[in-house]
Amino acid sequence: MYAALLGTHSWVRWILLISMVLILFRSFGGMKKGTYTGVDKNAALVLFWALNIQFILGLALYFVFSPITQAAFGNMSEAMADSSLRFFVVEHFVAMFLAIAVGHVGIARAKREQDPARKHKLLLIWIGLCLLIVIAGIPWPFLPYGRGLFFF
């Protein structure tokens, strides 16, 4: 079960990243054009659901299935001294929790906005910030505690 959840969590990350980049590109152009189309709305919807799915998968891994967090919870002082354990127990968790909150706030604020150019500006700011947080919190392969790009 752990391997399946971790693999799914790893793949959903790409849906998140692609939808965020798509939103940023469309928002940059949409601010100038002043139009908010169905493609823009659907990209935000995909991001919204990907954030929710990723959050649920992450919580299941964090609290139930991950041997990494279970080992860390057994001895938190040791876990904080180990950079790999600390990354998954604190840094990754906090960064992704914050990114999900920022993403949701951005989508909600843009959804309520009537002016298309303002919608795009809000998405550009909030989803741009969300993307930066996500990039900072991913266990990239070049890091000591890194994971593969497409597989765990």
Side-chain angles (χ1 to χ4, degrees):
M1 181 63 115
Y2 171 67
L5 283 175
L6 187 59
T8 305
H9 190 65
S10 177
W11 279 95
V12 171
R13 138 184 73 183
W14 293 107
I15 296 169
L16 278 169
L17 290 170
I18 290 167
S19 63
M20 284 190 274
V21 169
L22 175 64
I23 288 169
L24 292 177
F25 275 115
R26 292 198 55 87
S27 291
F28 187 74
M31 282 189 326
K32 295 178 195 297
K33 292 179 189 171
T35 59
Y36 191 82
T37 67
V39 173
D40 300 313
K41 184 178 178 181
N42 288 337
L45 188 62
V46 166
L47 177 59
F48 173 81
W49 283 107
L51 285 168
N52 290 335
I53 291 166
Q54 195 71 329
F55 182 62
I56 291 166
L57 291 171
L59 287 178
L61 286 165
Y62 189 81
F63 288 111
V64 180
F65 294 104
S66 174
I68 295 170
T69 55
Q70 296 309 311
F73 292 153
N75 189 344
M76 285 300 279
S77 60
E78 235 180 74
M80 294 302 104
D82 181 323
S83 65
S84 180
L85 287 175
R86 185 180 61 246
F87 174 80
F88 287 105
V89 173
V90 178
E91 296 162 15
H92 179 70
F93 179 80
V94 170
M96 296 310 168
F97 192 84
L98 181 61
I100 289 167
V102 167
H104 277 289
V105 167
I107 292 168
R109 288 193 63 194
K111 188 176 182 180
R112 286 191 300 268
E113 183 60 49
Q114 297 301 313
D115 177 40
R118 179 91 173 122
K119 267 185 195 282
H120 283 298
K121 184 176 181 180
L122 287 168
L123 286 172
L124 190 64
I125 292 167
W126 287 92
I127 303 308
L129 181 58
C130 180
L131 180 60
L132 290 174
I133 297 167
V134 167
I135 288 171
I138 289 177
W140 296 104
F142 56 82
L143 297 172
Y145 40 78
R147 300 252 169 97
L149 288 177
F150 296 100
F151 300 102
F152 44 92

